[in-house]
Amino acid sequence: MNPVNTKLMDALDVIKNDLAFALWETLYATILATLFAIVIGLPLGVLLVVGDEKGICPLPPLLMKIINVCINLLRSVPFVILMVTVIPLTRMIVGTSVGTVASIVPLVIAAFPFIARLVEGSLREVNPNIIETAQSMGATPMQIILHVMLPESVPSLISNFTLAITTIMGYTAMSGVVGGGGLGKIADMYGRQRYNSYVLYAAVIVLVLITQVMQSIGTALAVKSDKRLKK
Amino acid sequence: MIEVRNLSKSFRTTDGPVDALKNVNLTINNGDIYGIIGMSGAGKSTLVRCINMLERPTEGAVLMDGVDLGAMNGNDLRQMRRRVTMIFQGFNLLMQRTCVRNVMLPLKLAGMPTQQAYQRAMEMLETVGLPDKANAYPAQLSGGQQQRVAIARALATNPEVLLCDEATSALDPKTTHSILELIRDINAKMGITVIVITHQMSVVQEICNRVAILENGAVVEEGKVADVFANPKAEATRNLVYPEMADANVALGNEHGQRVRLIFNGAIAANEPLIAKMALETGVAASILGASTRAVGDRAYGYILLEIPGGPDELAKAVKFLRQTPDVTVSVEVNYPENKEVEA
């Protein structure tokens, strides 16, 4: 048979048998990593804003400096290097450093400082006059966070979390190269190592499609939740 | 009663310390609608923020019924802020919350159960005339309606004092009038003391009973609104009360002319056709060069600048006639090119 046709048949085989599972693995890693990263990153982002010198609950400037430097450090390590560096930690938490579940650990570590910065940005957009108003009503710093800052920045937070989830999905593909599962893995294994570019294209197309879908849903939710727009 | 005692506030800036307030003393009695007026940058907003301790005074004290607010701890301070509430120029409503939930906010912050808070909030929206907007979002309302919601929110915790920080400055004159009417109503019906910060004399004139004039962080004049209007002593007050006076102060120059400036210090006669009467009785038909008068109660304050035609004889007749009117000061500015500057 024509070698091109053989390659195509192989590719169709892979797409039929492995693509759906790879997609599931990618979504699973992306969504779980994003959730964990939000659990850590959201409070950290809040802390960055309220603990600021001019925030509603100023913390010692030295402490804030340390937190900021740590976040910048984590943010500046390239993800490929971070993945390898945290392998001992991954083994400690998950028991292994290979597979989809194991890839969630470096993903969370890479994503939470990013999310903390995004949350910081969203919260700083809240009209300072509204925060002052809450203070003039006798709100505690915690009440201001829960009743004013977070609810007022919901549309912006949704936009930023959408940005985060699409970025994290890009990272999961990367983690496929070094032992993680998902679309990145089949693209690497069949596409790069076995020179089957059809599988590579298929994986890329699927990634592009999910990114589009996620971004559209995120944007629609952000717009719908924003009550500042007159209807 | 709120007493501001020797209050000073300075801010540290990159250009060194700036004294926003200098030794301010005020006494605001229960039930007053107290105006604090001044130009931009006079320190009005800082002063009102010192009253509820959003800004800590550098020196001096604010006493509420004799209690020093500056000495309060965090919890007492938060309790106090439910008794001294505030409305703002920019309304400052939560944009992602419906009106009724905006009004519920201070109640929820105070720990009131949701059901009860909802009922109270609806009552408050009723008070400000917007019960039908309960489920609308602030962005769907006009500026005047948003300020009404903000007032409902400020009244929800049953305060004793309402601070209004330029509350009508973003509104058109008609809406301003209706908001001021609402504030006056609230003052009368609920007995809430109101402190009004503004740069508009018309606001003070419309609702305040007492006024303090702030210039460069210091109180330059203080008293009953009628008294301050009648006899503005400080330069800053005169500029605020009669902003047009400065414009009309055009010197006579070298031209021939004789002018009479009538200053009304609460004359009741302002309702009489004074200038027409003068023309009929003395035959001097003066032309009005400039005028700014306003009524406070049934009395008139302000000035009229008249050009008197003819020579010194006509001028003498006119001055003699005008000086018969009570509570009117007459001053004369003349220039005859042959014998310059004669004061009568």
Side-chain angles (χ1 to χ4, degrees), chain A residues 142-208:
Chain A
M142 200 52 163
Q143 285 178 323
I144 293 176
I145 294 167
L146 295 178
H147 290 269
V148 179
M149 292 173 85
L150 289 176
E152 279 295 285
S153 52
V154 162
S156 170
L157 286 173
I158 292 175
S159 290
N160 277 334
F161 289 160
T162 308
L163 174 64
I165 200 167
T166 49
T167 307
I168 291 168
M169 199 171 66
Y171 286 170
T172 60
M174 242 188 271
S175 74
V177 182
V178 290
L183 291 165
K185 184 175 124 189
I186 62 163
D188 177 63
M189 207 161 77
Y190 299 102
R192 187 175 65 88
Q193 294 175 21
R194 297 188 197 166
Y195 307 105
N196 192 331
S197 44
Y198 295 117
V199 179
L200 188 69
Y201 296 147
V204 170
I205 289 168
V206 172
L207 279 170
V208 168

Coordinates of all heavy atoms in Angstrom, one line a residue, chain A residues 142-208:
Chain A
M142 N -13.2 41.8 56.5 CA -13.7 40.6 56.0 C -15.1 40.8 55.2 O -15.3 40.3 54.2 CB -13.9 39.6 57.1 CG -14.0 38.1 56.6 SD -12.6 37.8 55.6 CE -12.6 36.0 55.6
Q143 N -15.9 41.6 55.9 CA -17.2 41.9 55.2 C -17.0 42.7 53.9 O -17.8 42.5 53.0 CB -18.1 42.8 56.2 CG -18.7 42.0 57.3 CD -19.5 42.8 58.3 OE1 -19.1 44.0 58.5 NE2 -20.6 42.3 58.8
I144 N -16.0 43.6 53.9 CA -15.8 44.3 52.7 C -15.4 43.3 51.5 O -15.8 43.4 50.4 CB -14.7 45.4 52.9 CG1 -15.3 46.5 53.8 CG2 -14.3 46.1 51.5 CD1 -14.3 47.6 54.2
I145 N -14.5 42.4 51.9 CA -14.1 41.4 50.9 C -15.3 40.6 50.4 O -15.5 40.5 49.2 CB -13.0 40.4 51.5 CG1 -11.7 41.2 51.9 CG2 -12.7 39.3 50.6 CD1 -10.8 40.4 52.7
L146 N -16.1 40.1 51.3 CA -17.2 39.1 50.9 C -18.4 39.9 50.4 O -19.0 39.3 49.5 CB -17.6 38.3 52.2 CG -16.5 37.4 52.7 CD1 -17.0 36.6 53.9 CD2 -16.1 36.4 51.6
H147 N -18.7 41.0 50.9 CA -20.0 41.7 50.5 C -19.7 42.7 49.4 O -20.7 43.2 48.7 CB -20.6 42.4 51.6 CG -21.2 41.4 52.6 ND1 -22.5 41.0 52.6 CD2 -20.7 40.8 53.7 CE1 -22.8 40.1 53.6 NE2 -21.6 40.0 54.3
V148 N -18.5 43.2 49.2 CA -18.3 44.3 48.3 C -17.3 43.9 47.2 O -17.6 43.9 46.0 CB -17.8 45.6 49.0 CG1 -17.6 46.7 48.0 CG2 -18.9 46.0 50.0
M149 N -16.0 43.6 47.6 CA -15.0 43.4 46.6 C -15.2 42.3 45.7 O -15.2 42.4 44.5 CB -13.6 43.3 47.3 CG -13.2 44.6 48.0 SD -11.7 44.3 49.0 CE -10.5 44.5 47.7
L150 N -15.5 41.1 46.2 CA -15.7 39.9 45.4 C -17.0 40.0 44.5 O -16.9 39.9 43.3 CB -15.7 38.6 46.2 CG -14.3 38.3 46.8 CD1 -14.3 37.0 47.7 CD2 -13.3 38.0 45.6
P151 N -18.1 40.3 45.1 CA -19.3 40.4 44.3 C -19.2 41.5 43.2 O -19.7 41.3 42.1 CB -20.4 40.8 45.3 CG -19.9 40.5 46.6 CD -18.5 40.5 46.6
E152 N -18.6 42.6 43.5 CA -18.4 43.7 42.5 C -17.5 43.3 41.4 O -17.6 43.8 40.3 CB -17.9 45.0 43.2 CG -19.0 45.8 43.9 CD -20.1 46.3 42.9 OE1 -19.8 47.3 42.2 OE2 -21.2 45.7 42.9
S153 N -16.6 42.4 41.6 CA -15.6 42.0 40.5 C -15.9 40.7 39.9 O -15.1 40.2 39.1 CB -14.2 42.0 41.1 OG -14.1 41.2 42.2
V154 N -17.1 40.2 40.1 CA -17.5 38.9 39.5 C -17.3 38.8 37.9 O -16.6 37.9 37.5 CB -18.9 38.4 39.9 CG1 -19.5 37.4 38.9 CG2 -18.9 37.9 41.3
P155 N -17.8 39.8 37.2 CA -17.6 39.7 35.7 C -16.1 39.7 35.4 O -15.7 38.9 34.5 CB -18.2 41.0 35.2 CG -19.2 41.4 36.3 CD -18.6 41.0 37.6
S156 N -15.3 40.5 36.0 CA -13.9 40.6 35.7 C -13.2 39.2 36.2 O -12.3 38.7 35.4 CB -13.3 41.7 36.5 OG -11.9 41.7 36.4
L157 N -13.7 38.7 37.3 CA -13.1 37.4 37.7 C -13.4 36.3 36.7 O -12.5 35.5 36.4 CB -13.6 37.0 39.1 CG -13.0 37.8 40.3 CD1 -13.8 37.5 41.6 CD2 -11.5 37.5 40.5
I158 N -14.6 36.3 36.2 CA -15.0 35.2 35.2 C -14.1 35.4 34.0 O -13.6 34.4 33.5 CB -16.5 35.3 34.9 CG1 -17.4 35.0 36.1 CG2 -16.8 34.4 33.7 CD1 -18.9 35.1 35.8
S159 N -13.9 36.6 33.5 CA -13.0 36.8 32.4 C -11.6 36.3 32.6 O -11.1 35.6 31.8 CB -12.9 38.3 32.0 OG -14.1 38.8 31.5
N160 N -11.1 36.6 33.8 CA -9.8 36.2 34.1 C -9.6 34.7 34.4 O -8.6 34.1 34.0 CB -9.3 37.0 35.4 CG -8.8 38.4 35.0 OD1 -8.3 38.6 33.8 ND2 -8.8 39.3 35.9
F161 N -10.6 34.1 35.0 CA -10.6 32.6 35.1 C -10.7 31.9 33.8 O -10.1 30.9 33.6 CB -11.7 32.1 36.1 CG -11.5 32.6 37.5 CD1 -12.5 32.6 38.4 CD2 -10.2 32.9 38.0 CE1 -12.3 33.0 39.7 CE2 -10.0 33.3 39.3 CZ -11.1 33.3 40.2
T162 N -11.4 32.5 32.8 CA -11.4 31.9 31.5 C -10.0 32.0 30.9 O -9.6 31.0 30.3 CB -12.4 32.7 30.6 OG1 -13.7 32.8 31.3 CG2 -12.6 32.1 29.3
L163 N -9.4 33.1 31.0 CA -8.0 33.3 30.6 C -7.1 32.2 31.2 O -6.3 31.6 30.5 CB -7.5 34.7 30.9 CG -6.1 35.0 30.6 CD1 -5.8 35.0 29.1 CD2 -5.7 36.4 31.1
A164 N -7.3 32.0 32.5 CA -6.5 31.1 33.2 C -6.7 29.6 32.7 O -5.7 28.9 32.5 CB -6.8 31.2 34.7
I165 N -8.0 29.3 32.6 CA -8.3 27.9 32.2 C -7.7 27.6 30.8 O -7.2 26.5 30.6 CB -9.8 27.5 32.3 CG1 -10.0 26.0 32.4 CG2 -10.6 28.1 31.2 CD1 -11.3 25.6 32.9
T166 N -7.8 28.5 29.9 CA -7.2 28.3 28.5 C -5.7 28.2 28.6 O -5.1 27.3 27.9 CB -7.7 29.4 27.5 OG1 -7.4 30.6 28.1 CG2 -9.1 29.3 27.2
T167 N -5.1 29.0 29.4 CA -3.6 29.0 29.6 C -3.2 27.6 30.2 O -2.2 27.0 29.7 CB -3.1 30.1 30.4 OG1 -3.7 31.3 29.9 CG2 -1.6 30.2 30.5
I168 N -4.0 27.2 31.2 CA -3.6 25.9 31.9 C -3.8 24.8 30.9 O -3.0 23.8 31.0 CB -4.5 25.8 33.2 CG1 -4.1 26.8 34.2 CG2 -4.3 24.4 33.7 CD1 -5.0 27.0 35.4
M169 N -4.8 24.8 30.0 CA -4.9 23.8 29.1 C -3.7 23.7 28.2 O -3.2 22.6 27.8 CB -6.2 24.0 28.2 CG -6.6 22.7 27.6 SD -8.2 22.8 26.8 CE -7.8 24.0 25.6
G170 N -3.1 24.8 27.8 CA -1.9 24.9 27.0 C -0.8 24.2 27.8 O 0.0 23.4 27.2
Y171 N -0.7 24.4 29.1 CA 0.3 23.7 29.9 C 0.1 22.2 30.0 O 1.1 21.5 30.0 CB 0.3 24.3 31.4 CG 0.8 25.7 31.5 CD1 0.7 26.4 32.7 CD2 1.5 26.3 30.5 CE1 1.2 27.7 32.9 CE2 2.1 27.6 30.6 CZ 1.9 28.3 31.8 OH 2.4 29.5 32.0
T172 N -1.2 21.8 30.0 CA -1.4 20.3 30.1 C -0.8 19.6 28.9 O -0.3 18.5 29.0 CB -2.9 19.9 30.2 OG1 -3.5 20.4 29.0 CG2 -3.6 20.4 31.4
A173 N -0.9 20.3 27.7 CA -0.4 19.7 26.5 C 1.1 19.6 26.6 O 1.7 18.6 26.2 CB -0.8 20.6 25.3
M174 N 1.7 20.6 27.3 CA 3.2 20.6 27.5 C 3.6 19.4 28.4 O 4.6 18.7 28.2 CB 3.6 21.9 28.1 CG 4.6 22.7 27.3 SD 5.2 24.0 28.2 CE 4.0 25.3 27.9
S175 N 2.7 19.2 29.4 CA 3.1 18.2 30.4 C 3.0 16.8 29.8 O 3.6 15.8 30.2 CB 2.2 18.2 31.6 OG 0.9 17.7 31.3
G176 N 2.3 16.7 28.6 CA 2.2 15.4 27.9 C 3.6 14.9 27.5 O 3.8 13.7 27.3
V177 N 4.4 15.9 27.2 CA 5.8 15.5 26.7 C 6.6 14.8 27.8 O 7.4 14.0 27.5 CB 6.5 16.8 26.2 CG1 7.9 16.5 25.6 CG2 5.6 17.5 25.1
V178 N 6.4 15.1 29.0 CA 7.2 14.6 30.1 C 6.4 13.7 31.0 O 6.5 13.8 32.2 CB 8.0 15.6 30.9 CG1 9.0 16.3 30.0 CG2 7.0 16.7 31.4
G179 N 5.5 12.9 30.5 CA 4.9 11.9 31.3 C 3.4 12.1 31.6 O 2.7 11.3 32.1
G180 N 2.9 13.3 31.4 CA 1.5 13.6 31.6 C 0.7 13.0 30.5 O 1.2 12.6 29.5
G181 N -0.7 12.8 30.8 CA -1.5 12.2 29.8 C -2.2 13.3 28.9 O -1.8 14.5 29.0
G182 N -3.1 12.9 28.1 CA -3.9 13.8 27.3 C -3.5 14.0 25.9 O -2.6 13.3 25.3
L183 N -4.1 15.1 25.3 CA -3.8 15.4 23.9 C -2.4 15.7 23.6 O -1.8 15.3 22.5 CB -4.7 16.6 23.5 CG -6.2 16.3 23.5 CD1 -7.0 17.6 23.4 CD2 -6.5 15.4 22.3
G184 N -1.7 16.3 24.6 CA -0.3 16.6 24.4 C 0.5 15.3 24.2 O 1.5 15.2 23.4
K185 N 0.1 14.3 25.0 CA 0.9 13.0 24.9 C 0.7 12.4 23.6 O 1.7 11.9 23.0 CB 0.4 12.1 26.1 CG 1.1 10.8 26.1 CD 0.7 10.0 27.3 CE 0.2 8.6 26.8 NZ -0.5 7.8 27.9
I186 N -0.5 12.2 23.1 CA -0.7 11.5 21.8 C 0.0 12.4 20.7 O 0.6 11.8 19.7 CB -2.1 11.1 21.5 CG1 -3.0 12.3 21.3 CG2 -2.7 10.1 22.5 CD1 -4.3 11.9 20.6
A187 N -0.1 13.7 20.8 CA 0.5 14.5 19.7 C 2.0 14.3 19.7 O 2.6 14.1 18.6 CB 0.2 16.0 20.0
D188 N 2.6 14.2 20.9 CA 4.0 14.0 21.0 C 4.4 12.5 20.6 O 5.3 12.3 19.8 CB 4.5 14.2 22.4 CG 6.0 13.9 22.6 OD1 6.8 14.6 22.0 OD2 6.3 13.0 23.4
M189 N 3.7 11.6 21.1 CA 4.0 10.2 20.9 C 3.9 9.8 19.4 O 4.8 9.3 18.8 CB 3.2 9.3 21.8 CG 3.8 8.0 22.2 SD 2.9 7.3 23.6 CE 1.4 6.7 22.7
Y190 N 2.7 10.1 18.9 CA 2.5 9.6 17.5 C 3.0 10.7 16.5 O 3.6 10.4 15.5 CB 1.0 9.4 17.2 CG 0.4 8.3 18.1 CD1 -0.3 8.6 19.2 CD2 0.7 7.0 17.8 CE1 -0.8 7.6 20.0 CE2 0.2 6.0 18.6 CZ -0.6 6.3 19.7 OH -1.1 5.3 20.5
G191 N 2.8 11.9 16.8 CA 3.1 13.0 15.9 C 4.6 13.2 15.8 O 5.1 13.3 14.7
R192 N 5.3 13.3 17.0 CA 6.7 13.7 16.9 C 7.6 12.5 16.8 O 8.4 12.3 15.9 CB 7.1 14.5 18.1 CG 8.5 15.1 18.1 CD 8.7 16.0 19.3 NE 8.7 15.3 20.5 CZ 9.8 14.7 21.1 NH1 10.9 14.7 20.4 NH2 9.7 14.0 22.2
Q193 N 7.3 11.5 17.8 CA 8.3 10.4 17.8 C 8.0 9.4 16.6 O 9.0 8.8 16.1 CB 8.1 9.7 19.1 CG 8.6 10.5 20.3 CD 8.3 9.9 21.7 OE1 8.2 8.7 21.7 NE2 8.3 10.7 22.7
R194 N 6.8 9.3 16.2 CA 6.6 8.4 15.1 C 6.3 9.1 13.8 O 5.8 8.5 12.8 CB 5.4 7.4 15.4 CG 5.7 6.6 16.6 CD 4.7 5.5 16.8 NE 4.8 5.0 18.2 CZ 3.8 4.3 18.8 NH1 2.7 4.0 18.1 NH2 4.0 3.8 20.0
Y195 N 6.6 10.3 13.7 CA 6.4 11.1 12.5 C 5.1 11.1 11.9 O 4.9 11.1 10.7 CB 7.5 10.8 11.5 CG 8.9 10.8 12.0 CD1 9.6 9.6 12.4 CD2 9.5 12.0 12.3 CE1 10.9 9.7 12.9 CE2 10.8 12.1 12.9 CZ 11.5 10.9 13.1 OH 12.7 10.9 13.7
N196 N 4.0 10.9 12.7 CA 2.7 10.9 12.1 C 2.0 12.2 12.3 O 1.3 12.5 13.2 CB 1.8 9.8 12.7 CG 0.5 9.5 11.8 OD1 0.0 10.5 11.2 ND2 0.0 8.3 11.8
S197 N 2.2 13.1 11.3 CA 1.7 14.5 11.4 C 0.2 14.6 11.4 O -0.3 15.5 12.0 CB 2.3 15.4 10.3 OG 2.2 14.7 9.1
Y198 N -0.5 13.6 10.9 CA -2.0 13.6 11.0 C -2.5 13.6 12.4 O -3.4 14.4 12.7 CB -2.6 12.4 10.2 CG -2.2 12.5 8.7 CD1 -1.5 11.5 8.1 CD2 -2.7 13.5 7.9 CE1 -1.2 11.5 6.8 CE2 -2.5 13.5 6.5 CZ -1.7 12.5 6.0 OH -1.4 12.6 4.7
V199 N -1.9 12.8 13.2 CA -2.3 12.7 14.6 C -2.0 14.1 15.3 O -2.8 14.6 16.1 CB -1.6 11.6 15.4 CG1 -2.0 11.6 16.8 CG2 -1.9 10.3 14.7
L200 N -0.8 14.6 15.0 CA -0.4 15.9 15.5 C -1.5 17.0 15.2 O -2.0 17.7 16.0 CB 0.9 16.3 14.9 CG 1.6 17.5 15.5 CD1 2.0 17.3 17.0 CD2 2.8 17.9 14.7
Y201 N -1.9 17.0 13.9 CA -2.8 18.0 13.4 C -4.2 17.8 14.2 O -4.8 18.8 14.6 CB -3.1 18.0 11.9 CG -1.8 18.3 11.1 CD1 -1.6 17.7 9.9 CD2 -1.0 19.3 11.6 CE1 -0.5 18.1 9.2 CE2 0.2 19.6 10.9 CZ 0.4 19.0 9.6 OH 1.5 19.4 8.9
A202 N -4.6 16.5 14.2 CA -5.9 16.2 14.9 C -5.9 16.7 16.3 O -6.8 17.4 16.8 CB -6.1 14.7 14.8
A203 N -4.8 16.5 17.0 CA -4.7 16.9 18.4 C -4.7 18.4 18.5 O -5.4 19.0 19.4 CB -3.4 16.4 19.1
V204 N -4.0 19.1 17.6 CA -4.0 20.6 17.6 C -5.4 21.1 17.4 O -5.9 22.0 18.1 CB -3.0 21.1 16.6 CG1 -3.2 22.6 16.5 CG2 -1.6 20.8 17.1
I205 N -6.1 20.5 16.4 CA -7.4 21.0 16.0 C -8.4 20.8 17.2 O -9.1 21.8 17.6 CB -8.0 20.2 14.8 CG1 -7.2 20.7 13.5 CG2 -9.5 20.5 14.6 CD1 -7.5 19.8 12.3
V206 N -8.3 19.7 17.9 CA -9.2 19.5 19.1 C -8.9 20.5 20.1 O -9.8 21.2 20.7 CB -9.0 18.1 19.6 CG1 -9.8 17.9 20.9 CG2 -9.5 17.1 18.6
L207 N -7.6 20.8 20.4 CA -7.2 21.8 21.4 C -7.7 23.2 21.0 O -8.2 23.9 21.9 CB -5.6 21.8 21.5 CG -5.0 20.8 22.4 CD1 -3.5 20.8 22.2 CD2 -5.4 20.9 23.8
V208 N -7.6 23.5 19.7 CA -8.1 24.8 19.3 C -9.6 24.9 19.5 O -10.1 25.9 20.0 CB -7.7 25.0 17.8 CG1 -8.5 26.3 17.3 CG2 -6.2 25.2 17.6

